[in-house]
């Protein structure tokens, strides 16, 4: 099988294969799991249509079925979360963070349409917003994709509720000035028990400025943007868009873990 740039290396596969669900004993002959994951990574990295998968991958319908089933069963998120915990351990950190950074990114949708789309008057974009919370390493903690017409302080509530379910040690969340409106900091403290700290631009400074903490989540958006599937939101279902972000981070984190193994 050709070695596409998006394919998992042997070291990456060793990091991931223990997290993949066991094959069912009954039914037809199982697919090659590594080949299926490579095909999904190919779609994610190149941005091609499922039907346009090269023929040396498994049949596109089989690949998409695995992708869809694992999304519905939460397997992609489980793999993502386990890899994030491993990366944090290798960086001498506890598996769950005490600080997070939140931000959103508005992206255009295509003529495919689908659920949850709208107009972001600030960015002048018709499409959806990717709302992401990351830790201080830039690893994704939670992601919510919703219509671009949602204000940041409204969409952030969905992210905070996801964080509350999984991260008991969280104490402070950093964000830009949009998250200081409509009583959101008070709501976060009352509902979650965290401090929502807004990071503002220095007064009187013009042009590009690297802001403390906020640059971390911007770097994560840049990592995700390397995958062409994220150049726009091509998905009909926002949950599929969220899953594609998790898959992009799976590729990044597995590569990082493989690098750690090589340097031992």
């Amino acid at each position: 099988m050709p070695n596409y740039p998006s394919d998992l290396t042997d070291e990456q596969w060793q990091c991931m294969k223990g997290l993949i669900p066991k094959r069912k004993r009954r039914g037809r002959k199982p697919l090659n799991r590594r080949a299926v994951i490579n095909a999904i990574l190919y779609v994610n990295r190149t941005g091609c249509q499922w039907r346009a998968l090269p023929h040396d991958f498994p049949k596109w319908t089989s690949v998409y079925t695995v992708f869809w089933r694992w999304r519905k069963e939460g397997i992609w998120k489980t793999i993502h979360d386990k890899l994030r915990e491993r990366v944090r351990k290798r960086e001498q950190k506890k598996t769950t963070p005490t600080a997070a950074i939140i931000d959103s990114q508005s992206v255009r949708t295509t003529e495919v349409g689908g659920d949850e789309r709208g107009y972001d008057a600030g960015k002048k974009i018709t499409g959806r917003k990717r709302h992401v919370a990351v830790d201080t390493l830039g690893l994704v903690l939670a992601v919510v994709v919703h219509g671009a017409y949602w204000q940041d302080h409204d969409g952030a509530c969905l992210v905070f509720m996801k964080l509350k379910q999984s991260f008991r040690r969280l104490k402070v969340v950093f964000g830009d000035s949009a998250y200081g409106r409509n009583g959101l900091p008070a709501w976060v403290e009352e509902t979650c028990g965290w401090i929502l700290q807004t990071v503002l631009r220095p007064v009187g400074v013009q042009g590009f400025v690297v802001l403390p903490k906020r640059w971390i989540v911007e770097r994560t958006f840049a990592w995700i943007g390397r995958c062409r599937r994220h150049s726009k939101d091509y998905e009909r279902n926002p949950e599929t868009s969220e899953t594609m972000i998790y898959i992009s981070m799976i590729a990044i984190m597995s590569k990082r873990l493989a690098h750690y193994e090589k340097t031992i």
Side-chain angles (χ1 to χ4, degrees):
M1 183 174 180
N3 184 23
Y4 293 101
S6 56
D7 283 358
L8 294 172
T9 63
D10 291 339
E11 292 80 9
Q12 286 177 277
W13 177 242
Q14 289 299 320
C15 294
M16 283 187 58
K17 69 178 184 179
L19 304 175
I20 295 172
K22 295 181 180 179
R23 293 188 176 96
K24 295 180 180 179
R25 295 184 179 181
R26 296 182 179 180
R28 63 182 181 180
K29 184 179 178 181
L31 295 168
N32 182 324
R33 295 289 185 84
R34 182 171 178 177
V36 170
I37 293 175
N38 282 339
I40 294 169
L41 292 176
Y42 182 91
V43 170
N44 182 261
R45 187 62 189 248
T46 64
C48 78
Q49 298 170 325
W50 292 101
R51 295 173 184 268
L53 271 173
H55 295 299
D56 42 20
F57 285 120
K59 195 173 180 180
W60 78 266
T61 51
S62 300
V63 172
Y64 180 76
T65 298
V66 171
F67 168 81
W68 182 83
R69 285 179 178 171
W70 286 13
R71 175 180 72 80
K72 295 290 286 185
E73 296 171 9
I75 293 171
W76 290 115
K77 186 176 185 305
T78 299
I79 294 173
H80 170 273
D81 292 350
K82 293 295 183 183
L83 290 177
R84 184 190 62 234
E85 290 175 2
R86 291 182 185 180
V87 173
R88 287 185 59 84
K89 282 184 179 179
R90 293 306 301 265
E91 293 289 343
Q92 307 298 317
K93 293 180 178 291
K94 293 186 177 180
T95 56
T96 56
T98 57
I101 307 97
I102 188 172
D103 202 0
S104 69
Q105 180 187 55
S106 295
V107 291
R108 290 181 172 84
T109 48
T110 65
E111 69 279 1
V112 170
D115 302 327
E116 271 295 304
R117 57 185 299 186
Y119 183 67
D120 181 348
K123 302 291 179 60
K124 295 182 173 24
I125 288 176
T126 298
R128 294 180 181 147
K129 275 188 182 180
R130 299 169 182 152
H131 235 120
V132 173
V134 304
D135 64 9
T136 53
L137 297 175
L139 306 179
V140 172
L141 303 176
V143 56
V144 175
V145 176
H146 54 72
Y149 61 90
W150 284 52
Q151 295 293 325
D152 282 354
H153 50 74
D154 294 326
C157 296
L158 302 176
V159 181
F160 289 132
M161 295 310 295
K162 278 194 173 183
L163 291 174
K164 186 180 178 183
Q165 294 173 5
S166 305
F167 301 100
R168 303 292 183 183
R169 296 181 64 247
L170 205 57
K171 295 180 179 178
V172 59
V173 180
F174 298 94
D176 60 30
S177 59
Y179 299 100
R181 301 170 187 163
N182 283 35
L184 183 60
W187 181 88
V188 170
E189 185 173 6
E190 180 181 350
T191 306
C192 305
W194 309 327
I195 297 172
L196 178 55
Q197 179 66 54
T198 54
V199 181
L200 306 178
R201 287 176 57 88
V203 177
V205 176
Q206 296 182 353
F208 175 77
V209 180
V210 177
L211 300 176
K213 303 299 181 185
R214 279 174 52 184
W215 68 269
I216 297 174
V217 68
E218 296 294 349
R219 181 183 61 180
T220 301
F221 280 129
W223 289 344
I224 294 170
R226 294 173 184 170
C227 299
R228 292 191 177 182
R229 193 75 179 188
H230 302 302
S231 62
K232 291 183 180 179
D233 194 324
Y234 293 97
E235 319 302 338
R236 291 180 183 273
N237 190 332
E239 291 183 10
T240 303
S241 302
E242 294 170 9
T243 301
M244 281 296 183
I245 292 174
Y246 287 130
I247 290 173
S248 297
M249 293 304 299
I250 285 171
I252 291 170
M253 293 187 293
S254 61
K255 187 177 294 186
R256 188 175 299 186
L257 288 169
H259 176 72
Y260 291 149
E261 294 300 325
K262 287 183 178 180
T263 56
I264 292 178

